[in-house]
Amino acid sequence: MKWFQWGGPPGLPSCFQLDSTKLCALFLAAAAAAVFAGQASKTAPPAGAAGIVFTDVTARAGIHFVHNAGRTGKKYLPETLGSGCAFFDADGDGWPDILLINGRDFIEKGRHTVAALYRNNHDGTFTDITAGSGLDVEMYGMGVAIADYDNDGREDVYVTALDGDHLFHNEGHGKFQDVTKAAGIRNASFGTSAAWLDYDRDGKVDLFVANYVQWSARNDLWCSLDGATKSYCTPESYKGAPSRLYHNLGGGRFEEVAARAGLGDPTSKSLGVTVLDYNGDGWPDIFVANDTQPNKLYRNLGNGTFREEGMLAGVAYGEDGVARGAMGADAGDYDHSGRPHLLVGNFSNQMLGLYHNEGNGLFVDEAPSSTVGRASLLSLAFGVFFFDYDLDGYPDIFAANGHIEDNIARVQPKVSYRESPLLFHNLGNHKFENATAQMGPDFTRPVVARGAAFADYDQDGDLDILVSANNGPAYLFRNDGGNRNHWLSVRLTGVRSNRDGIGAVVRIKSASGEQWNMVRSGSSYCSQSDLALTFGLGKDTSVSSVDVEWPNAPRQHFGAMPANQRITIDEDKGILPR
């Protein structure tokens, strides 16, 4: 995204060429967004979702984390981006725990700050068990991805970091061991989002790591909003960095194969990644959200390699043919078409991307003609995801927003540094309603949000939200009222397939129709949601069937069962006793 930003002193490269045509278009778009936003605020609450609120329970839950961006006053680029968060079962008790990724001071003798691991106490509260957990390693952390990479029944943790990524093996009982070096992981390339996937379907999850740009404190450039004082540079000032693909060799070892697999593009400036089977051939594909570079859609060819088809598919650029400042991404079937669509968080004045999968290899961005686009135009979206917050059977949209420049309002008065999140209620028929204002004052508080994840942390059926903030506190929002509708939660246990069932598809039928979802690691921005799949059933009190399509085994079929329960399906044994 081209801002109002000029080059620095003589001898240093300029950050941007100011394009008056695009500048004019930017102001027109911003004005239009203000008009539409005013119109949208007068509409009635979304049908079927009235009465639901998201309550800030951070303090009463015992979460007291504050992110350290390592701000030096020198306006270093990494200070604007971190960090992510995760819901996962750290201690194997069946309840989602919380992990919050942290940065550190750039100066050598600064504060000692590490990630925070919170154990779920099963009563709505959490206990900080970071000290001695093995995750208390100081680093400039960015993102997190969760999976049981060695199929031992425990969820392991991968953390991306500016100064070198870390792989933590889960030893059980909330203890972890740093096995980065022994595993053959070597990535100190400004890693951001990551995702586990079994791209070759050999029963072992592999790892894709999105890398951003070639930055260091020594090559930091001088950029300015007003031509006089230093501001944060945008990625256009720096060269891109190739992403990594670590092939799981078994025995706790990995081999880096990105270039061989066709994923080693050195021009990408990647911030988000989501895994989807967009052409329905049974092989997991990869979508990469790039900042000021074309997005990438890597089609899995089923032979260990990928072919990039982003431009052909229509997801590489915005509708104006210009690469956008893409941050986070997710995939989901928001219209019950049977195909995964794409959600992309973009820079301010660019709106969210809502790419509808047409089923013929092409995607069409429906955001510009919808409430989603109009309401999100002025926001800068990082963490984004599909989830069914009111359990009516249609995936809704959440976006965590916050600008990267703390004084952006000086040059763009309609754009704020701290921004409210956005929640769009899915009305069906490709229509969404902006339900943000109905979610209560806790939810609409402006923050500088970055990562976002969801899980049913209190196990009451509806999905709650965790949000991380840049250089500020984390927020836990409890869903109050979503469980007035019925639901079914499905967790998978692989045997020949990978233990978490990543890449498996679950399909359910109920009186209201059919739904499906795929178990996926990654998505959002630098974050990880719970691997259990929650299906909203609306007023249906039962499901008529559940089918599981495993990556490495025949389809499993199960008959009718009551709603409002959590089931675990084993690849060999079927539905396990509770």
PDB file of all heavy atoms in Angstrom, residues 37 39 78 105 116 141 156 170 176 211 260 294 301 310 331 346 397 404 471 571 576:
ATOM      1  N   ALA A  37     -20.759   3.600   5.972  1.00  0.00           N
ATOM      2  CA  ALA A  37     -20.717   3.250   7.385  1.00  0.00           C
ATOM      3  C   ALA A  37     -21.863   3.918   8.131  1.00  0.00           C
ATOM      4  O   ALA A  37     -22.492   3.327   9.008  1.00  0.00           O
ATOM      5  CB  ALA A  37     -19.375   3.652   7.997  1.00  0.00           C
ATOM      6  N   GLN A  39     -24.762   4.729   6.829  1.00  0.00           N
ATOM      7  CA  GLN A  39     -25.981   4.038   6.449  1.00  0.00           C
ATOM      8  C   GLN A  39     -26.117   2.720   7.195  1.00  0.00           C
ATOM      9  O   GLN A  39     -27.185   2.351   7.672  1.00  0.00           O
ATOM     10  CB  GLN A  39     -25.991   3.791   4.940  1.00  0.00           C
ATOM     11  CG  GLN A  39     -26.092   5.076   4.125  1.00  0.00           C
ATOM     12  CD  GLN A  39     -25.939   4.809   2.642  1.00  0.00           C
ATOM     13  OE1 GLN A  39     -25.532   3.727   2.239  1.00  0.00           O
ATOM     14  NE2 GLN A  39     -26.276   5.794   1.831  1.00  0.00           N
ATOM     15  N   PRO A  78      10.052  -4.200  12.569  1.00  0.00           N
ATOM     16  CA  PRO A  78       9.401  -5.295  13.290  1.00  0.00           C
ATOM     17  C   PRO A  78       8.518  -4.847  14.445  1.00  0.00           C
ATOM     18  O   PRO A  78       7.617  -5.593  14.856  1.00  0.00           O
ATOM     19  CB  PRO A  78      10.590  -6.123  13.810  1.00  0.00           C
ATOM     20  CG  PRO A  78      11.713  -5.801  12.883  1.00  0.00           C
ATOM     21  CD  PRO A  78      11.520  -4.356  12.530  1.00  0.00           C
ATOM     22  N   ASP A 105      13.170  -6.697  23.994  1.00  0.00           N
ATOM     23  CA  ASP A 105      13.846  -5.427  23.730  1.00  0.00           C
ATOM     24  C   ASP A 105      14.969  -5.627  22.720  1.00  0.00           C
ATOM     25  O   ASP A 105      15.642  -6.669  22.712  1.00  0.00           O
ATOM     26  CB  ASP A 105      14.427  -4.859  25.028  1.00  0.00           C
ATOM     27  CG  ASP A 105      13.354  -4.289  25.935  1.00  0.00           C
ATOM     28  OD1 ASP A 105      12.206  -4.146  25.481  1.00  0.00           O
ATOM     29  OD2 ASP A 105      13.663  -3.993  27.108  1.00  0.00           O
ATOM     30  N   ALA A 116       3.780 -16.324  27.070  1.00  0.00           N
ATOM     31  CA  ALA A 116       3.008 -16.672  28.267  1.00  0.00           C
ATOM     32  C   ALA A 116       2.125 -17.879  27.977  1.00  0.00           C
ATOM     33  O   ALA A 116       1.368 -17.880  27.001  1.00  0.00           O
ATOM     34  CB  ALA A 116       2.153 -15.495  28.719  1.00  0.00           C
ATOM     35  N   GLY A 141       9.539 -12.985  19.180  1.00  0.00           N
ATOM     36  CA  GLY A 141       8.557 -13.902  18.607  1.00  0.00           C
ATOM     37  C   GLY A 141       7.541 -13.197  17.738  1.00  0.00           C
ATOM     38  O   GLY A 141       7.174 -12.039  17.967  1.00  0.00           O
ATOM     39  N   ASP A 156       2.478 -30.203  19.753  1.00  0.00           N
ATOM     40  CA  ASP A 156       3.761 -29.508  19.774  1.00  0.00           C
ATOM     41  C   ASP A 156       3.596 -28.071  19.271  1.00  0.00           C
ATOM     42  O   ASP A 156       2.585 -27.718  18.662  1.00  0.00           O
ATOM     43  CB  ASP A 156       4.769 -30.278  18.923  1.00  0.00           C
ATOM     44  CG  ASP A 156       4.833 -31.750  19.316  1.00  0.00           C
ATOM     45  OD1 ASP A 156       5.141 -32.032  20.480  1.00  0.00           O
ATOM     46  OD2 ASP A 156       4.543 -32.612  18.453  1.00  0.00           O
ATOM     47  N   ASN A 170       6.373 -31.275  22.839  1.00  0.00           N
ATOM     48  CA  ASN A 170       5.553 -31.399  24.033  1.00  0.00           C
ATOM     49  C   ASN A 170       5.947 -32.669  24.786  1.00  0.00           C
ATOM     50  O   ASN A 170       5.770 -33.780  24.295  1.00  0.00           O
ATOM     51  CB  ASN A 170       4.071 -31.446  23.634  1.00  0.00           C
ATOM     52  CG  ASN A 170       3.132 -31.315  24.820  1.00  0.00           C
ATOM     53  OD1 ASN A 170       3.464 -31.695  25.934  1.00  0.00           O
ATOM     54  ND2 ASN A 170       1.948 -30.790  24.560  1.00  0.00           N
ATOM     55  N   PHE A 176       7.719 -28.502  27.832  1.00  0.00           N
ATOM     56  CA  PHE A 176       8.175 -28.515  26.449  1.00  0.00           C
ATOM     57  C   PHE A 176       9.696 -28.477  26.381  1.00  0.00           C
ATOM     58  O   PHE A 176      10.350 -27.923  27.266  1.00  0.00           O
ATOM     59  CB  PHE A 176       7.600 -27.309  25.688  1.00  0.00           C
ATOM     60  CG  PHE A 176       6.101 -27.347  25.566  1.00  0.00           C
ATOM     61  CD1 PHE A 176       5.288 -26.937  26.618  1.00  0.00           C
ATOM     62  CD2 PHE A 176       5.503 -27.799  24.412  1.00  0.00           C
ATOM     63  CE1 PHE A 176       3.913 -26.982  26.520  1.00  0.00           C
ATOM     64  CE2 PHE A 176       4.122 -27.850  24.297  1.00  0.00           C
ATOM     65  CZ  PHE A 176       3.328 -27.442  25.350  1.00  0.00           C
ATOM     66  N   ASN A 211       7.882 -16.169   5.446  1.00  0.00           N
ATOM     67  CA  ASN A 211       8.896 -15.180   5.823  1.00  0.00           C
ATOM     68  C   ASN A 211       8.566 -13.834   5.187  1.00  0.00           C
ATOM     69  O   ASN A 211       7.970 -13.766   4.109  1.00  0.00           O
ATOM     70  CB  ASN A 211      10.286 -15.639   5.391  1.00  0.00           C
ATOM     71  CG  ASN A 211      10.813 -16.768   6.255  1.00  0.00           C
ATOM     72  OD1 ASN A 211      10.541 -16.826   7.447  1.00  0.00           O
ATOM     73  ND2 ASN A 211      11.556 -17.692   5.659  1.00  0.00           N
ATOM     74  N   ARG A 260      12.734 -26.837  -4.043  1.00  0.00           N
ATOM     75  CA  ARG A 260      12.452 -28.060  -4.795  1.00  0.00           C
ATOM     76  C   ARG A 260      10.945 -28.238  -5.030  1.00  0.00           C
ATOM     77  O   ARG A 260      10.514 -28.741  -6.073  1.00  0.00           O
ATOM     78  CB  ARG A 260      13.004 -29.261  -4.049  1.00  0.00           C
ATOM     79  CG  ARG A 260      12.887 -30.594  -4.784  1.00  0.00           C
ATOM     80  CD  ARG A 260      13.136 -31.760  -3.837  1.00  0.00           C
ATOM     81  NE  ARG A 260      14.291 -31.528  -2.958  1.00  0.00           N
ATOM     82  CZ  ARG A 260      14.560 -32.276  -1.896  1.00  0.00           C
ATOM     83  NH1 ARG A 260      13.752 -33.293  -1.567  1.00  0.00           N
ATOM     84  NH2 ARG A 260      15.614 -32.013  -1.155  1.00  0.00           N
ATOM     85  N   PRO A 294       2.140  -9.588  -4.989  1.00  0.00           N
ATOM     86  CA  PRO A 294       0.972 -10.419  -5.323  1.00  0.00           C
ATOM     87  C   PRO A 294       0.822 -11.590  -4.363  1.00  0.00           C
ATOM     88  O   PRO A 294       1.801 -12.239  -3.997  1.00  0.00           O
ATOM     89  CB  PRO A 294       1.287 -10.904  -6.749  1.00  0.00           C
ATOM     90  CG  PRO A 294       2.275  -9.915  -7.290  1.00  0.00           C
ATOM     91  CD  PRO A 294       3.085  -9.460  -6.114  1.00  0.00           C
ATOM     92  N   LEU A 301       0.359 -30.466  -6.647  1.00  0.00           N
ATOM     93  CA  LEU A 301       0.294 -31.346  -7.808  1.00  0.00           C
ATOM     94  C   LEU A 301       0.300 -32.824  -7.437  1.00  0.00           C
ATOM     95  O   LEU A 301       0.193 -33.684  -8.312  1.00  0.00           O
ATOM     96  CB  LEU A 301       1.455 -31.053  -8.759  1.00  0.00           C
ATOM     97  CG  LEU A 301       1.516 -29.608  -9.288  1.00  0.00           C
ATOM     98  CD1 LEU A 301       2.702 -29.441 -10.233  1.00  0.00           C
ATOM     99  CD2 LEU A 301       0.204 -29.219  -9.984  1.00  0.00           C
ATOM    100  N   GLY A 310      -1.962 -18.051  -8.489  1.00  0.00           N
ATOM    101  CA  GLY A 310      -2.678 -16.927  -7.911  1.00  0.00           C
ATOM    102  C   GLY A 310      -3.252 -15.972  -8.927  1.00  0.00           C
ATOM    103  O   GLY A 310      -4.406 -15.535  -8.814  1.00  0.00           O
ATOM    104  N   ALA A 331      -9.711 -19.660   5.202  1.00  0.00           N
ATOM    105  CA  ALA A 331     -10.518 -20.303   4.176  1.00  0.00           C
ATOM    106  C   ALA A 331     -11.733 -20.937   4.832  1.00  0.00           C
ATOM    107  O   ALA A 331     -11.658 -21.426   5.961  1.00  0.00           O
ATOM    108  CB  ALA A 331      -9.699 -21.368   3.436  1.00  0.00           C
ATOM    109  N   ASN A 346      -6.536  -6.889   4.725  1.00  0.00           N
ATOM    110  CA  ASN A 346      -5.709  -5.969   3.953  1.00  0.00           C
ATOM    111  C   ASN A 346      -5.485  -4.645   4.677  1.00  0.00           C
ATOM    112  O   ASN A 346      -6.081  -4.384   5.721  1.00  0.00           O
ATOM    113  CB  ASN A 346      -6.365  -5.693   2.594  1.00  0.00           C
ATOM    114  CG  ASN A 346      -6.352  -6.896   1.677  1.00  0.00           C
ATOM    115  OD1 ASN A 346      -5.318  -7.540   1.506  1.00  0.00           O
ATOM    116  ND2 ASN A 346      -7.496  -7.227   1.110  1.00  0.00           N
ATOM    117  N   ILE A 397     -17.769 -13.833   9.942  1.00  0.00           N
ATOM    118  CA  ILE A 397     -16.425 -13.288   9.702  1.00  0.00           C
ATOM    119  C   ILE A 397     -16.005 -12.412  10.871  1.00  0.00           C
ATOM    120  O   ILE A 397     -16.757 -11.540  11.321  1.00  0.00           O
ATOM    121  CB  ILE A 397     -16.398 -12.455   8.400  1.00  0.00           C
ATOM    122  CG1 ILE A 397     -16.574 -13.360   7.180  1.00  0.00           C
ATOM    123  CG2 ILE A 397     -15.101 -11.655   8.293  1.00  0.00           C
ATOM    124  CD1 ILE A 397     -16.710 -12.594   5.877  1.00  0.00           C
ATOM    125  N   ILE A 404      -0.438   0.360  11.773  1.00  0.00           N
ATOM    126  CA  ILE A 404       0.963   0.169  12.146  1.00  0.00           C
ATOM    127  C   ILE A 404       1.662   1.485  12.476  1.00  0.00           C
ATOM    128  O   ILE A 404       2.722   1.479  13.100  1.00  0.00           O
ATOM    129  CB  ILE A 404       1.742  -0.551  11.025  1.00  0.00           C
ATOM    130  CG1 ILE A 404       1.814   0.306   9.762  1.00  0.00           C
ATOM    131  CG2 ILE A 404       1.137  -1.896  10.724  1.00  0.00           C
ATOM    132  CD1 ILE A 404       2.733  -0.250   8.696  1.00  0.00           C
ATOM    133  N   ASN A 471       2.253  -4.305  21.408  1.00  0.00           N
ATOM    134  CA  ASN A 471       2.754  -3.484  22.508  1.00  0.00           C
ATOM    135  C   ASN A 471       1.662  -3.161  23.532  1.00  0.00           C
ATOM    136  O   ASN A 471       1.653  -2.098  24.141  1.00  0.00           O
ATOM    137  CB  ASN A 471       3.359  -2.176  21.984  1.00  0.00           C
ATOM    138  CG  ASN A 471       4.495  -1.688  22.859  1.00  0.00           C
ATOM    139  OD1 ASN A 471       5.415  -2.434  23.175  1.00  0.00           O
ATOM    140  ND2 ASN A 471       4.452  -0.426  23.242  1.00  0.00           N
ATOM    141  N   GLU A 571      -9.524 -42.755  13.828  1.00  0.00           N
ATOM    142  CA  GLU A 571      -9.478 -43.228  12.444  1.00  0.00           C
ATOM    143  C   GLU A 571      -9.787 -44.719  12.334  1.00  0.00           C
ATOM    144  O   GLU A 571     -10.352 -45.172  11.326  1.00  0.00           O
ATOM    145  CB  GLU A 571      -8.097 -42.924  11.854  1.00  0.00           C
ATOM    146  CG  GLU A 571      -7.976 -43.184  10.367  1.00  0.00           C
ATOM    147  CD  GLU A 571      -6.643 -42.720   9.816  1.00  0.00           C
ATOM    148  OE1 GLU A 571      -5.746 -42.356  10.617  1.00  0.00           O
ATOM    149  OE2 GLU A 571      -6.481 -42.728   8.576  1.00  0.00           O
ATOM    150  N   LEU A 576     -15.071 -42.392  19.991  1.00  0.00           N
ATOM    151  CA  LEU A 576     -14.520 -42.873  21.258  1.00  0.00           C
ATOM    152  C   LEU A 576     -15.460 -42.555  22.412  1.00  0.00           C
ATOM    153  O   LEU A 576     -16.168 -41.541  22.384  1.00  0.00           O
ATOM    154  CB  LEU A 576     -13.158 -42.238  21.520  1.00  0.00           C
ATOM    155  CG  LEU A 576     -12.066 -42.511  20.484  1.00  0.00           C
ATOM    156  CD1 LEU A 576     -10.793 -41.765  20.867  1.00  0.00           C
ATOM    157  CD2 LEU A 576     -11.794 -44.002  20.358  1.00  0.00           C
TER     158      LEU A 576
END
